[in-house]
Amino acid sequence: NVSIRNMYNSFNIQLDPYWDKVVSLLHFEGTAVNDSIVDTKGNSWGKNGNLQLSTDNKKFGARSLLFTEDNPGYIQSSSNKYSIGLNDFCIEFFFNASHLVGNKVLFHLPYTIGGTNYNLFLKIQGAYISLEVGGYDPIYTMIYSNTWYHVAVVRNNYGYLHLYLDGTLIGSFQFYDNVNSLDVYIGAISGNVYNFYGYIDEFRFTN
């Protein structure tokens, strides 16, 4: 029922004090596996590689986004909404890794400072998930394959970057960078390398 769904969405928006700061929200729903990626906040997302909206394994709703080993890929969006600057932000989603071998990137936020390129990565290295900025990755913890996790990367107004896994704080470090990124990559880094294999659901970027 459309009216009930609208009432439900309106009710949840009223309960969410950060809704007006959400710049991207991906539920990965659709009516077919080859449907386009729909962003509730109206951003355009492109798909690269053999990505599918899968009913086989999902955290919420009817589908999640499946990143396959056959012709691996990523999704990418460009917008000035992703330019965090010095603001607080939160990037969060659910993921389920098919297997844990090598380096796999869950999301990539590239930015520049004074003409030098920097990167904010959330990645999987073997059996560990880690948060990396500029080649520095002091925060990591063990994970298991074929298991759903909620992950959140948060910067607060004290200039600290935090990594949470299933609501538990894994670690923090100071992060004062002016992040002027216009691009977000999910499932790999720009250039389609370090591809993630598995499922991602309910991606949300709050700035």
Side-chain angles (χ1 to χ4, degrees), residues 13-185:
I13 290 170
Q14 292 174 30
L15 288 180
D16 187 346
Y18 300 106
W19 178 251
D20 63 330
K21 298 183 182 299
V22 176
V23 297
S24 181
L25 180 61
L26 307 176
H27 296 301
F28 301 118
E29 298 296 329
T31 58
V33 295
N34 60 348
D35 278 358
S36 60
I37 304 299
V38 176
D39 192 326
T40 302
K41 289 295 185 171
N43 303 298
S44 177
W45 288 81
K47 290 194 295 184
N48 179 290
N50 184 24
L51 305 183
Q52 302 176 10
L53 293 175
S54 173
T55 60
D56 295 337
N57 198 349
K58 66 275 185 184
K59 185 63 180 180
F60 292 108
R63 289 177 169 81
S64 65
L65 185 61
L66 170 61
F67 297 79
T68 67
E69 296 182 56
D70 177 24
N71 188 19
Y74 61 91
I75 63 173
Q76 182 265 340
S77 180
S78 298
S79 172
N80 58 12
K81 296 178 184 178
Y82 307 133
S83 183
I84 297 167
L86 297 172
N87 296 334
D88 299 348
F89 69 90
C90 176
I91 298 174
E92 59 183 313
F93 53 93
F94 293 89
F95 74 94
N96 185 327
S98 298
H99 60 78
L100 305 173
V101 177
N103 294 322
K104 314 294 181 187
V105 168
L106 289 163
F107 79 77
H108 173 208
L109 208 64
Y111 61 99
T112 60
I113 299 177
T116 301
N117 295 326
Y118 292 88
N119 299 284
L120 173 61
F121 294 122
L122 184 66
K123 62 182 183 179
I124 296 172
Q125 295 178 286
Y128 293 86
I129 185 171
S130 66
L131 180 59
E132 177 182 323
V133 177
Y136 179 57
D137 56 348
I139 305 176
Y140 56 89
T141 190
M142 182 176 286
I143 59 173
Y144 298 94
S145 61
N146 301 308
T147 303
W148 279 104
Y149 295 97
H150 177 264
V151 65
V153 176
V154 181
R155 180 166 69 181
N156 63 16
N157 57 4
Y158 297 105
Y160 277 85
L161 197 62
H162 311 280
L163 176 63
Y164 292 88
L165 192 68
D166 285 343
T168 299
L169 178 63
I170 303 304
S172 308
F173 60 89
Q174 287 184 317
F175 180 64
Y176 298 111
D177 286 6
N178 185 338
V179 181
N180 56 7
S181 176
L182 300 179
D183 299 289
V184 178
Y185 297 84

